[in-house]
Amino acid sequence: MPTDPSALPGRRALLRTGLATGAATATAGLAAPTPAAAASPADRTVTLTGLLPTGAPDFVLLPVEVPPGVREIAVSYGYDRPAVPAGTPGNSCDIGIFDERGTELGGRGFRGWSGGFRDSFALSASAATPGYLPGPVNPGTWHVVLGPYQVAPQGLAYTVQVTFRFGRPGPAFVPHYPAERARGRGRAWYRGDCHLHTVHSDGRRLPEEVAAGARAAGLDFIVSTDHNTSSAHGVWGPLAGDDLLVITGEEVTTRNGHWLALGLDPGEFVDWRYRSRDGQFPRFARQVRRSGGLVVPAHPYCPYVACQWKFGYRDADAVEVWNGPWTYDDESAVDTWDAGLAAALRESRDWLPALGNSDAHSAPQAVGSPHNVVLADDLSRPAVLDGLRAGRSWIAESAAVGLEFTATGHGRRAGIGERLTVPADAPVDVELTVSGVPGGTARLLTDEGQLHQETLPATGPGTVRWRTTASLAAYVRAEVRHPRADGTPGKGNAMGPDLPWGPMAALTNPITLHVQQ
């Protein structure tokens, strides 16, 4: 794995998308056109320049007066990158635009964001650069938005050019949103990747390439989660089908962590311009739930700037504990999630389900590695989200991995995400069957930690059985690991300088055990 985050475009990269609010440091307007110019206007360009000091606001507004008769707005920008001492961040600046309806947090004026992924964009009634929303170019005060992600000690000198192209507007863009339902198999286990990027943010794959990758990976559904924009929503319709459900969403990328808004109404935008200290996150979590969607903190221990999760989990519906290829930050996320299970059960409140997603942006990142396997009543947006919300899901590294996990006691049976209520000392038989992980290590864990470990057969599926009681285990969950690099299975009750386990192959949500009163 490269150590330079810029070499990796997923969560392994520094995802440059700006946020929060602040005052503009430069303002430029356009003088009223002369009568001759109004009769036959040519393209006209406004140049905005300025210097942002270290400590500049997260979100810098540059007002631009848009005159009547503009067919298209085109924007390009650049900024200096002075040398900085080792260990000191250099300049990094994002860009986007809001129209005449204003820049109010959560307001209607949003027209697009490309973070630091593009140095130019354009939008009109008929079309827009990916990441931006086609629509009317109305006269009034628009705002180009800079997001100075990092500012060098020398400051950040920027130049923004805004070009107005005059003429009659073209036909209005017609979005083609994906259907709410695919064919499905009734109540069944469905596989899906809930964290994917395209050229509409910082991905390099076209939406059609992502859809093809999902089909090749054996997925039944995907969620579109480009950073801080809904622009991809309107192109997914022709790419979905009876065999692939596409759910619309967004990765909300703040300075204090990233979160997935899964299951938004098509075309819905969720604002990202706040930090934890601003107290705005609960407001936007409520917005997502009003659409029937889920709020999911993403890669909470990602080590790059602004990626680590700082908002807490009170307003979350689930948490992404496995993101892309398995690394040490996923280990940390699973440990934190596991600790939260015991706390939730102790306090008689809902526990947070675990999700795993690829966060794939471009090759060689694989769509669907990992992905969620969810028990849903149908292959539809509401049913899939209901299954994920309830924790009726497990995480697989690929479609080659199969898993069944149950607990049986006192004549009752429960599966993943379900509750088994039995007398305190009644035997509870836990059974885990795994295929597709030859020679892997099966682990069974409770609120005490790992209580059983077994090596799976080198060929064919394997079944692990273990007995406990509700008085001894508040929950039981399963992990399946690949062998370590040296070929050994690893050991759950050992300490040493390296990771005790090989990469994750599968991870389940818990079966909770409750004492019958």
Side-chain angles (χ1 to χ4, degrees):
M1 180 180 296
T3 56
D4 176 9
S6 66
L8 292 163
R11 63 96 189 239
R12 318 294 185 186
L14 180 58
L15 304 176
R16 307 190 185 286
T17 42
L19 355 135
T21 56
T25 61
T27 304
L30 181 66
T34 64
S40 182
D43 291 356
R44 190 168 300 181
T45 298
V46 173
T47 299
L48 314 173
T49 61
L51 178 68
L52 303 179
T54 300
D58 290 340
F59 199 57
V60 178
L61 308 178
L62 307 181
V64 178
E65 294 302 319
V66 177
V70 173
R71 172 182 56 85
E72 181 181 73
I73 293 178
V75 178
S76 62
Y77 85 121
Y79 54 90
D80 66 338
R81 294 174 171 83
V84 295
T88 300
N91 283 338
S92 174
C93 188
D94 301 339
I95 196 166
I97 196 166
F98 283 69
D99 66 20
E100 83 287 350
R101 292 172 294 179
T103 61
E104 178 186 2
L105 190 67
R108 300 173 58 208
F110 174 76
R111 290 298 293 272
W113 190 257
S114 49
F117 193 63
R118 304 182 190 280
D119 59 13
S120 63
F121 62 86
L123 53 89
S124 68
S126 302
T129 300
Y132 294 82
L133 305 180
V137 181
N138 293 325
T141 303
W142 289 47
H143 288 85
V144 173
V145 185
L146 297 182
Y149 215 81
Q150 298 176 152
V151 179
Q154 301 94 320
L156 185 152
Y158 64 84
T159 299
V160 178
Q161 291 189 318
V162 183
T163 298
F164 302 109
R165 296 176 178 141
F166 295 86
R168 296 177 62 84
F173 172 77
V174 178
H176 294 283
Y177 297 128
E180 291 270 306
R181 185 181 304 274
R183 180 179 292 130
R185 305 180 298 278
R187 185 173 175 85
W189 291 93
Y190 295 100
R191 294 178 180 264
D193 192 340
C194 299
H195 189 169
L196 290 162
H197 296 279
T198 72
V199 294
H200 284 260
S201 58
D202 60 345
R204 296 192 181 277
R205 290 186 174 110
L206 297 170
E208 48 264 43
E209 293 175 308
V210 171
R215 290 180 166 98
L219 302 184
D220 301 295
F221 69 92
I222 59 174
V223 186
S224 169
T225 57
D226 279 305
H227 294 281
N228 296 350
T229 184
S230 58
S231 67
H233 292 186
V235 306
W236 282 111
L239 304 175
D242 285 344
D243 64 330
L244 183 66
L245 173 70
V246 179
I247 299 172
T248 49
E250 178 182 335
E251 182 172 6
V252 185
T253 306
T254 84
R255 290 286 178 90
N256 287 161
H258 302 182
W259 58 281
L260 304 175
L262 305 181
L264 296 174
D265 289 333
E268 184 177 4
F269 159 71
V270 180
D271 215 321
W272 71 96
R273 296 171 294 156
Y274 43 85
R275 293 187 182 228
S276 176
R277 67 191 180 207
D278 299 325
Q280 293 292 330
F281 171 59
R283 166 188 170 185
F284 292 101
R286 290 192 297 271
Q287 174 192 338
V288 172
R289 293 193 188 97
R290 284 196 297 271
S291 297
L294 303 182
V295 174
V296 183
H299 46 67
Y301 286 94
C302 176
Y304 299 121
V305 172
C307 288
Q308 295 183 0
W309 186 248
K310 307 296 185 183
F311 292 92
Y313 296 94
R314 178 176 298 176
D315 293 288
D317 297 305
V319 58
E320 184 184 76
V321 302
W322 182 356
N323 178 284
W326 185 263
T327 58
Y328 75 91
D329 53 316
D330 299 308
E331 296 279 2
S332 297
V334 169
D335 287 346
T336 298
W337 166 72
D338 182 83
L341 294 178
L345 293 172
R346 181 182 68 245
E347 297 167 8
S348 299
R349 56 180 173 83
D350 292 339
W351 50 269
L352 285 183
L355 271 60
N357 301 298
S358 74
D359 196 4
H361 286 64
S362 61
Q365 295 171 337
V367 174
S369 182
H371 64 262
N372 305 283
V373 189
V374 56
L375 180 61
D377 290 334
D378 195 5
L379 187 52
S380 67
R381 176 173 73 144
V384 167
L385 295 175
D386 284 348
L388 293 172
R389 184 183 294 109
R392 298 192 305 267
S393 64
W394 59 278
I395 307 168
E397 67 171 351
S398 75
V401 178
L403 182 149
E404 295 181 9
F405 186 49
T406 59
T408 304
H410 201 59
R412 301 164 184 164
R413 186 182 186 193
I416 297 169
E418 296 178 339
R419 170 180 177 140
L420 181 66
T421 301
V422 293
D425 296 323
V428 173
D429 292 312
V430 178
E431 183 171 293
L432 171 69
T433 300
V434 181
S435 61
V437 193
T441 301
R443 307 177 65 202
L444 298 180
L445 301 99
T446 76
D447 49 315
E448 286 190 86
Q450 177 179 304
L451 292 183
H452 187 74
Q453 172 182 331
E454 196 167 322
T455 298
L456 297 169
T459 58
T463 298
V464 174
R465 296 179 178 88
W466 176 69
R467 176 169 284 187
T468 188
T469 65
S471 64
L472 293 176
Y475 62 87
V476 59
R477 64 179 185 85
E479 292 183 7
V480 183
R481 302 280 191 143
H482 287 290
R484 288 158 37 110
D486 62 5
T488 61
K491 187 175 180 181
N493 298 313
M495 297 182 67
D498 61 346
L499 294 177
W501 299 105
M504 192 77 75
L507 180 151
T508 74
N509 276 300
I511 302 169
T512 59
L513 306 181
H514 297 261
V515 175
Q516 181 175 305
Q517 301 299 323

